[in-house]
């Protein structure tokens, strides 16, 4: 247990670094300081340091990791940098907060910038990703550090309440449904496997997959003292924006330009107790982001709506009236009825997530969202890609037993 404030170093200066820093401002009940930041773009890093009162700025991740006063590094960097930086942080004895997903497959060794995933073995991808997770597991254990997996859905108040209701009722979770969908990422990296590691199954469905796995982990721990793990995966993927009639339309309201990645995915998990989860994601949903988990238990049914929800409802005949006010993520228009988020960070779980991570390090206890969850998410996603490519159910038990 620490007797001084926990000192945090941010690596990255982009979108995720900004919302992490905004959420740290809402953390209460823990003594901590965001003490340093490092980013590839020194101008962006300096702007964040000034905006959030961060006292030290480093030119590189290596320099920040060398700072002996930093206790935790918060990795707000592209997916392909997660595993290398986790391994470096472990070598330096730093605790780690890692944004989702833990890692991914971004091309074979020696692949050039023009490498594409078309025709590449999904089995080889799965094997490579599992090697990554084992390397992380070994490094974390060897260093004795705390690994915190930044899956905010674990901490989203609607899902926290769902889990508590299932626990209170003593329900067996028979079936879980969930979705994360919106009209598409505008980030250029997301269009290609080489830079994204996959399409909507990885970028979007990681959230409902993580939530479903967490709920089954928690159920198993309550009942038998050990998590309930997945045993098989079945998935389909598609590029819906490649449908010829859609391509012929002159006006597009959803993101296009996907290269070798999918913009729709659905996945079914079977767990070792016989229960199932059915989860979906797409970059082709208009009308704002759709985030939900529904749990069908033996004694209760609970739906957790993260987005949209009816906490606040608004109407305007002219979206210009709301020009100066943020409504909610991924809404194409402000006209008509909308569901403005009073505190989007809170309802999506970010401040509670960071509070748990700081407390875990300060009090030498496990975080609620841990390395096991991060590893199971990677296994399920890439087993899903293998299932979709080979049109079969993939048995993941051999990977759990390695």
């Amino acid at each position: 247990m620490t007797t001084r404030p926990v000192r945090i170093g941010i690596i990255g200066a982009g979108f995720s670094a900004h919302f992490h820093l905004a959420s740290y401002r809402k953390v209460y009940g823990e003594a901590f300081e965001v003490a340093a930041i490092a980013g590839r773009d020194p101008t962006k890093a300096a702007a964040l340091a000034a905006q959030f009162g961060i006292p030290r700025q480093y030119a590189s991740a290596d320099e920040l990791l060398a700072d002996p006063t930093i206790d935790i590094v918060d990795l707000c960097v592209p997916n392909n940098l997660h595993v290398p930086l986790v391994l470096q942080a472990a070598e330096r004895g730093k605790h780690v907060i890692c944004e989702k997903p833990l890692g991914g497959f971004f091309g074979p060794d020696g692949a050039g910038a023009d490498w594409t995933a078309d025709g590449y073995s999904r089995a080889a991808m799965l094997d490579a990703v599992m090697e990554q997770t084992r390397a992380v597991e070994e490094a974390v254990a060897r260093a004795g550090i705390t690994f915190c997996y930044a899956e905010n859905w674990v901490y989203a108040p609607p899902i926290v309440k769902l889990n508590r209701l299932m626990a209170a009722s003593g329900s067996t979770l028979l079936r879980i449904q969930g979705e994360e969908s919106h009209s598409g990422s505008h980030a250029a990296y997301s269009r290609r496997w080489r830079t994204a590691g996959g399409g909507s199954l990885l970028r979007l469905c990681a959230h409902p997959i993580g939530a479903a796995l967490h709920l089954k982990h928690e159920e198993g721990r309550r009942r038998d003292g050990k998590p309930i793990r997945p045993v098989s995966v079945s998935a389909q993927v598609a590029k819906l924006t490649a449908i010829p009639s859609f391509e012929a339309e002159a006006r597009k309201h959803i993101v296009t330009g996907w290269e070798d990645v999918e913009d729709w995915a659905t996945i079914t998990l079977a767990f070792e107790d016989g229960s199932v989860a059915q989860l979906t994601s797409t970059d082709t949903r208009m009308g704002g982001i759709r985030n939900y988990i529904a749990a069908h238990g033996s004694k209760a049914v609970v739906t957790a709506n993260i987005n949209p929800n009816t906490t606040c409802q608004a109407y305007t005949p002219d979206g210009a009236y709301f020009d100066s006010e943020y409504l909610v993520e991924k809404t194409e228009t402000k006209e008509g009825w909308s569901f403005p988020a009073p505190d989007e960070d809170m309802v999506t779980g970010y401040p509670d997530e960071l509070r748990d991570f700081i407390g875990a390090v300060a009090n030498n206890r496990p975080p609620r969202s841990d390395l096991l969850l991060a590893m199971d998410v990677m296994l399920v996603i890439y087993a899903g890609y293998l299932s979709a490519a080979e049109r079969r159910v993939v048995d993941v038990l051999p990977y759990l037993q390695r």
Side-chain angles (χ1 to χ4, degrees), residues 297-312:
S298 57
K299 301 175 184 177
V301 177
V302 183
T303 298
N305 289 318
I306 302 174
N307 292 103
N309 60 60
T310 58
T311 306
C312 181

Side-chain angles (χ1 to χ4, degrees), residues 65 92 201:
L65 288 168
R92 296 279 189 168
L201 181 58

Side-chain angles (χ1 to χ4, degrees), residues 39-298:
R40 288 184 303 178
D41 186 330
T43 302
K44 287 184 177 179
L48 287 177
Q51 180 179 355
F52 292 98
I54 303 171
R56 295 192 298 284
Q57 179 184 345
Y58 290 109
S60 68
D62 287 342
E63 289 183 19
L64 187 147
L65 288 168
D67 185 337
T69 70
I70 297 297
D71 301 304
I72 310 175
V73 290
D74 186 347
L75 304 181
C76 301
V77 294
N79 296 346
N80 64 314
L81 298 179
H82 287 179
V83 169
L85 285 172
V86 169
L87 298 178
Q88 290 179 46
E91 288 178 3
R92 296 279 189 168
K94 308 295 187 189
H95 304 287
V96 173
I97 297 171
C98 180
E99 258 299 339
K100 67 88 191 168
L102 170 58
F105 185 83
F106 306 94
D109 291 342
D114 59 349
W115 177 86
T116 73
D118 293 334
Y120 192 84
S121 168
R122 271 35 176 184
M125 289 185 182
L126 175 57
D127 287 340
V129 166
M130 295 317 295
E131 286 181 17
Q132 286 180 11
T133 63
R134 286 191 291 273
V136 169
E137 185 179 32
E138 291 167 5
V140 167
R142 186 167 54 247
I145 62 168
T146 300
F147 179 93
C148 304
Y149 178 51
E151 178 42 75
N152 57 286
W153 279 36
V154 168
Y155 301 91
I159 293 176
V160 171
K161 189 65 172 179
L162 182 157
N163 189 41
R164 289 173 59 186
L165 291 168
M166 287 296 159
S169 66
S171 283
T172 297
L173 274 72
L174 305 172
R175 180 167 65 97
I176 300 171
Q177 295 171 280
E179 179 176 350
E180 168 151 340
S181 295
H182 54 59
S183 58
S185 171
H186 293 281
Y189 85 89
S190 69
R191 308 293 198 282
R192 301 186 62 241
W193 203 295
R194 185 76 174 90
T195 49
S200 60
L201 181 58
L202 179 73
R203 287 184 299 100
L204 302 182
C205 213
H207 285 302
I209 289 171
L213 291 169
H214 168 70
L215 292 171
K216 293 301 293 185
H217 283 185
E218 289 289 286
E219 180 191 356
R221 288 172 177 138
R222 287 193 298 269
R223 184 174 299 123
D224 303 312
K226 61 179 183 178
I228 297 169
R229 309 285 295 282
V231 295
S232 67
V233 173
S234 176
Q236 287 185 282
V237 299
K239 194 186 297 183
L240 302 181
T241 51
I243 294 172
S245 57
F246 172 80
E247 290 185 315
E249 293 178 10
R251 190 178 182 189
K252 306 289 196 298
H253 300 284
I254 56 178
V255 171
T256 59
W258 308 102
E259 298 180 23
D260 57 344
V261 296
E262 77 283 355
D263 58 22
W264 173 87
T266 189
I267 190 165
T268 300
L269 322 182
F271 292 91
E272 57 190 342
D273 66 345
S275 61
V276 296
Q278 304 159 283
L279 311 164
T280 298
S281 60
T282 185
D283 287 282
T284 62
R285 182 188 190 274
M286 292 188 294
I289 197 164
R290 176 64 169 135
N291 290 340
Y292 86 96
I293 284 284
H296 300 260
S298 57

